[in-house]
Amino acid sequence: MRKKYMISVSCAALLALVPTVAVAERSDVIVVSAAGSETPISATGKSITVLTRDEIESVQGPDITRVLERAPGLTINRNGGLGATTSLRIRGSGNDQVLTLIDGVRVADPASIGNGYDITNLLPGNVERIEILRGSNSTIWGSSAVGGVILIDTVQGETGARLSAEYGSRESAYLSGNASYAEGSFGITAYGSYFETEGFSALASGTEKDGFEQLAGGANAYLKISDQLTLRASGRYADGTVEIDNFGDTEDTQDTEQYSGSASLDYNGAGFDATATYSFADTERLSTSAFGPFIADGNLNRGDLRTTIALAEPVTLYTGGYYEWTNYSTNFGGDADLERRGGYAQLGLAQGPLNINAGARIDDGPLFGSEVSLGADASFALSDNARLHASYGEGYRAPSLFQLFDGFSGNPDLQPEDSANYDIGLEVGTRGGMFVFDVTLFQRDIDNQIEFDNSTFVYFNTESVRARGVEMEATLSPTDRLTVLAAYTILDTQLRSAPNAGNEQGRRPDEALTLSVDWTAPFAGLNLGADVRAVSGSFDRNANLTRLDAYELVTLRASVQVTDDIALFGRVENLLDDQYQTAAGFNTADRGVFAGVRAAF
């Protein structure tokens, strides 16, 4: 019998519990995704979740999607095991409608189909912090920030070193580590990781195991030139090879090699901050099959200037400008270049309990001319422990070079996607404190969404798509030893024009819930944790012909601090051995057992 969850929660019932919980004085979390520079989260109306190093480390393992699913609004689709193509969706968006930056570098692949980032190429072992903004914010971030923005920071720290190693099911081995030196005005951190697994058959009908291997490394450094000037640099490299199946068990592989880096100069003065940055990202992919090799190379180079100006006591001006040039080429005739430039300005007003931000952006280039994006958000403190937040954001995404100029499926007549995102919510409690609960209503309307025509095998613009729903996230820490986290989303999507008018968007489940419990024992440094991930059914494609069943995953986690510097850890993933698919015809992992050791020096 087909499963479908209705994980309905009464907002009124949850809010009724709030007065019974003693809430500490509000402490602000600092975010960057809202305005492009450091801003207290209470000063923005945007919906943002921050995942810290401690939380990332507690989840364990090489699969970063298990970490990301702790935020509401996020769902994952994967064509097989680790290393296989992975799509990350925020509030029902497409993967190519989510902008991802690692250490401030846009890591989208211009040679990929949708100019998106395949998150499976990033393992979490050396990730320090993840910031997830849900909803459009093209005013600050420009193209591709339609569904949301994900900012990822890799490790930086004080002098010392860390090392983690684990081994487990499917002959999986994961090693990661970093070393830092910081003294006076100079600091540098180098990090690296290696992962290997023999995996399982990517195809549900297959029997041959499809493995994945990745080597990655990078560095972050800073030099304080003076009290006002700081020079920063970062670089990252990753090379992964995954075995894939096409039309049955095959020996096909895909190798993805990525280079990215940046250099920036920060100025921090009295009432004026500025950052000038040059960044680049290059992705080279080699796919092998019986039809011969497919080679794709995409690169992005970009210069940015961002400023923050305190105009008067309650008013702040945020500005930015950029120049970007991208290129993609394939051995099947695709070869194109694109240059774009633009800028934005946003005013922020902080007056007592009220914070308002409003801005506009213009992007310009030879293919589509000028595009203007508007955005505004507001936060109003009802008390020390409760605030209302709301935002409006216009999203803009230009077609990828592949979608425009690919020799087989490209369509040079494609138009950019335009969207409008609205949300309003209530937050009660203290982020990082004893209790916080946030409920948000959202809606996004997209015009000219780019889709793939399975009959003509060509990309086209569809007239209108709508996504709306409710997000809820809560954290309860009644004692220092116990933390309960919940993230829940109800989503309704609808295609509003031919050829699939009235249908749900494919691979957008109606409901998704993550529930996590962590407990620290009063003895022996023992930590126990459990995660439940429940996702309702959905259709595999926009045609709504093939159904993906609901599923639930249970993970048990444990760690014990053997000494001040050494900890042992382990987990059981998919404890109930649920058989499920997030993409029709592709396998997912069965029960797995893993154990490891972590050391700090």
Side-chain angles (χ1 to χ4, degrees), residues 76-88 95 113 118-121 242 244 254 285 507 582-583 586:
I76 306 293
N77 305 106
R78 178 175 282 159
N79 294 354
L82 273 174
T85 300
T86 302
S87 295
L88 185 153
N95 186 72
I113 291 176
D118 189 345
I119 197 72
T120 197
N121 292 306
V242 60
I244 56 179
Q254 177 174 290
R285 283 180 288 116
R507 301 182 183 177
T582 61
F586 290 95

Side-chain angles (χ1 to χ4, degrees), residues 219-236:
N220 295 296
Y222 69 87
L223 173 65
K224 289 187 68 67
I225 301 172
S226 68
D227 290 342
Q228 288 79 35
L229 287 175
T230 303
L231 181 64
R232 302 182 188 276
S234 70
R236 179 177 177 270

Side-chain angles (χ1 to χ4, degrees), residues 308-333:
T308 303
I309 307 170
L311 297 180
E313 182 62 31
V315 181
T316 303
L317 174 65
Y318 305 93
T319 70
Y322 78 96
Y323 186 85
E324 178 183 276
W325 55 106
T326 60
N327 169 267
Y328 103 108
S329 61
T330 74
N331 62 329
F332 277 78

Side-chain angles (χ1 to χ4, degrees), residues 58-137:
S58 71
V59 172
Q60 302 180 18
D63 189 355
I64 198 168
T65 66
R66 295 178 50 245
V67 177
L68 297 173
E69 287 174 336
R70 295 168 77 89
L74 273 72
T75 55
I76 306 293
N77 305 106
R78 178 175 282 159
N79 294 354
L82 273 174
T85 300
T86 302
S87 295
L88 185 153
R89 310 184 190 280
I90 298 180
R91 293 181 173 177
S93 71
N95 186 72
D96 49 12
Q97 295 168 334
V98 176
L99 178 64
T100 302
L101 296 89
I102 301 177
D103 294 326
V105 180
R106 294 167 183 250
V107 288
D109 176 11
S112 67
I113 291 176
N115 196 29
Y117 178 66
D118 189 345
I119 197 72
T120 197
N121 292 306
L122 177 68
L123 307 186
N126 288 299
V127 172
E128 185 76 19
R129 186 178 188 272
I130 303 174
E131 188 175 318
I132 303 167
L133 181 146
R134 302 182 299 282
S136 302
N137 195 15

Side-chain angles (χ1 to χ4, degrees), residues 527-549:
N527 295 275
L528 301 177
D531 304 315
V532 176
R533 177 68 173 173
V535 179
S536 66
S538 63
F539 289 103
D540 186 60
R541 302 286 182 182
N542 289 347
N544 288 187
L545 299 176
T546 302
R547 188 76 180 175
L548 298 172
D549 287 341

Side-chain angles (χ1 to χ4, degrees), residues 195-225:
F195 176 70
E196 182 179 20
T197 180
E198 69 175 15
F200 50 86
S201 175
L203 283 182
S205 60
T207 58
E208 176 200 36
K209 294 179 180 178
D210 295 303
F212 174 52
E213 181 179 16
Q214 188 199 68
L215 177 67
N220 295 296
Y222 69 87
L223 173 65
K224 289 187 68 67
I225 301 172

Side-chain angles (χ1 to χ4, degrees), residues 12-24:
L14 285 171
L15 287 173
L17 296 176
V18 172
T20 67
V21 181
V23 183

